[in-house]
Amino acid sequence: MTDGILPGQAIAKLVDDGVIRLERPLADRQIQPASLDLRLGTRAYRMRASFLPGQGRTVESRVDDLKLHEIDLTEGAVLETGCVYLVPLLEHLDLPHGLAALTNPKSSTGRLDVFTRVIADGGRAFDSVPDGYTGALWAEVSPRTFPVLVRTGSRLTQLRFRQGHAILTAEETAALQASDRLVDTNEPDLRDGISVTIDLAGLGPDGLVGYRAKRHTGVIDVDRVAGYAVDDFWEAVHVKKRQLVLDPGEFYILASNEAVHVPPGYAAEMVPFDPLVGEFRVHYAGFFDPGFGHTASGGHGSRAVLEVRSHEVPFIVEHGQTVGRLVYERLNAPSETLYGETLGSNYQAQKLKLSKHFRAD
C-alpha cells in the first residue's frame, strides 16, 4: 500500500474487509472524503476524572474504578458542562501492520465548545491509534460551554487512517502553495506547515469579527440542524481597532484572514498553536478534507473558522496575527468524493460561520 492518508473508498473497503468492525450498519454519509465519522454507543459513564489507560491496560478496566454513574443513551441524554463522560463507540478496529489512525473532533463539535477526544486500549496519548491496533474505541466528552443532548449514533469525532509517512516537507508545501495556492497570501510563513492568521478587520461596516458564547443557556441537541436562534446562545463581537481582548474562560468563534484551499489529492490538519507566542488555544476541530475551499466543488476558497479560548490571563490578539498552522498530507490514492456541495457539506465556502445547529436568519 502506498504511503498517505486513506481516501473514502479505501475506508469503505476496510469496512468490507472487517478492519473496521461495526456494532450497527454504516449510517448515511458516515464515510467522508478522507475520514470516518465515529458514533456514540448505547451508554455513557460520568467519570471522576480524565485518564489514559497506559500500556497493557484496557479502558474498560479503569471504568469501574473511576465512574460515578452510568447513563443510557438509547433514548438520548443530556451531558452537562464541566463534567467528564466516557462513551464506548460503535466502531472497533482490527488494523493490519503498517496502518495507524488519528482522530479529531468534528467541526460542529468544536464550534459548540465540546471538548472531545478518543482513547484506545493501552493508549499513552489521546487521539492516536497505533499501527496494528486491535480493540475498542472510546470517546471522552466534556461540554465546556453549552449542555448538549446526545444519543446512540451521534457523531462527535472523526477518524483518519495513515499508511506510512504522509506529511509534506517544507519544500513540498512551498511547491504546492505555488501551484495550487493553499492560502491566498503571497508570502505565507511555511515553517512547520503553512501559517493561518486571524481576521479582526471586520466583515462589514459594523466591525463584526466573531461571536462570544453566552453562559447559562439552554440545551443543544447535537443532531438538530438549524434548530436554534443565534441570539439565544451567542453575543456578536465587534471591534474598532483591529484587536480583541480575549477574556479568560470565554469561548469565541472567529475566522481566519486567509481563504484556505485543500486540493484534491491532499488533506490538512490545523495543528496546536505555539504556546510560546500567546496564552490561548485555537481550533479544537482540526481536519480539513480534500476539496475544502476547492473551486470545482463549490468552495472558491473557504475561511478557516477558529474556535478560540484564552487560558489564565486576558490576552490581546491583533488583525493578521498568526494563530495556527495547517499541516498538509498527501492521500495515498485520489478520493472519489470531495468535500463540497454534492455531499451537502455544511462549511464549504464559509466565511464567519457558527455550527450547523444555528439558523442563519
Side-chain angles (χ1 to χ4, degrees):
M1 187 182 292
T2 306
D3 284 0
I5 299 294
L6 268 59
Q9 69 270 17
I11 296 173
K13 188 174 187 305
L14 294 183
V15 174
D16 293 339
D17 292 345
V19 173
I20 303 170
R21 293 183 284 112
L22 307 173
E23 293 186 20
R24 297 190 179 186
L26 278 173
D28 182 43
R29 293 192 297 187
Q30 187 178 346
I31 297 177
Q32 300 294 322
S35 59
L36 173 73
D37 290 349
L38 300 174
R39 299 169 295 173
L40 300 183
T42 58
R43 63 195 186 280
Y45 299 98
R46 167 78 187 281
M47 306 298 291
R48 288 173 51 200
S50 175
F51 69 92
L52 284 168
Q55 187 172 6
R57 294 191 291 184
T58 66
V59 176
E60 191 165 18
S61 70
R62 303 295 310 278
V63 168
D64 285 340
D65 293 335
L66 295 172
K67 72 178 181 181
L68 298 177
H69 63 268
E70 183 174 338
I71 303 165
D72 183 1
L73 296 185
T74 55
E75 299 298 326
V78 173
L79 306 186
E80 301 287 353
T81 58
C83 300
V84 177
Y85 301 89
L86 196 60
V87 186
L89 297 171
L90 295 179
E91 290 74 31
H92 301 245
L93 298 179
D94 188 7
L95 300 180
H97 177 70
L99 187 63
L102 59 158
T103 61
N104 224 306
K106 288 177 62 64
S107 292
S108 297
T109 306
R111 296 183 202 201
L112 291 179
D113 200 20
V114 178
F115 187 68
T116 306
R117 49 194 181 181
V118 170
I119 313 173
D121 292 339
R124 291 182 286 184
F126 294 103
D127 289 328
S128 178
V129 184
D131 179 331
Y133 174 79
T134 294
L137 298 174
W138 299 68
E140 179 187 287
V141 183
S142 182
R144 304 291 303 277
T145 297
F146 309 122
V148 294
L149 175 63
V150 302
R151 57 188 58 80
T152 300
S154 293
R155 310 180 202 178
L156 301 182
T157 56
Q158 56 192 167
L159 178 146
R160 276 188 182 162
F161 295 93
R162 178 189 286 139
Q163 174 76 28
H165 182 76
I167 298 175
L168 301 189
T169 65
E171 292 76 16
E172 290 170 331
T173 303
L176 193 60
Q177 165 68 10
S179 64
D180 288 76
R181 201 163 179 83
L182 305 177
V183 294
D184 60 347
T185 182
N186 292 326
E187 297 183 357
D189 183 349
L190 297 176
R191 292 172 296 172
D192 301 319
I194 193 163
S195 62
V196 174
T197 66
I198 196 166
D199 180 7
L200 293 178
L203 299 179
D206 60 352
L208 174 69
V209 297
Y211 297 92
R212 180 172 50 239
K214 292 183 177 181
R215 296 286 186 174
H216 313 297
T217 66
V219 173
I220 294 177
D221 184 336
V222 300
D223 298 319
R224 185 180 177 190
V225 177
Y228 302 95
V230 171
D231 291 347
D232 291 340
F233 294 85
W234 301 92
E235 297 174 350
V237 176
H238 303 267
V239 299
K240 294 182 179 179
K241 298 182 179 180
R242 294 191 169 198
Q243 63 182 28
L244 173 65
V245 177
L246 302 176
D247 293 322
E250 298 297 322
F251 180 68
Y252 301 82
I253 294 292
L254 305 170
S256 68
N257 193 36
E258 301 84 7
V260 172
H261 174 213
V262 183
Y266 297 88
E269 180 180 5
M270 182 81 80
V271 298
F273 185 66
D274 184 354
L276 299 179
V277 182
E279 290 299 320
F280 63 98
R281 174 183 175 127
V282 171
H283 217 79
Y284 292 154
F287 285 168
F288 293 77
D289 270 323
F292 181 85
H294 187 57
T295 299
S297 58
H300 309 292
S302 299
R303 303 289 186 96
V305 166
L306 308 172
E307 300 117 26
V308 180
R309 177 180 288 279
S310 184
H311 293 322
E312 301 299 329
V313 297
F315 188 82
I316 296 175
V317 289
E318 299 183 346
H319 178 72
Q321 182 173 340
T322 298
V323 293
R325 296 189 178 278
L326 279 174
V327 173
Y328 281 77
E329 300 184 76
R330 66 178 57 83
L331 302 185
N332 77 341
S335 178
E336 294 178 357
T337 59
L338 295 177
Y339 188 94
E341 292 176 344
T342 59
L343 292 179
S345 305
N346 292 294
Y347 306 117
Q348 187 68 299
Q350 69 182 2
K351 293 184 179 178
L352 174 66
K353 188 171 183 179
L354 296 170
S355 73
K356 64 184 180 183
H357 308 92
F358 301 98
R359 294 190 291 271
D361 50 19

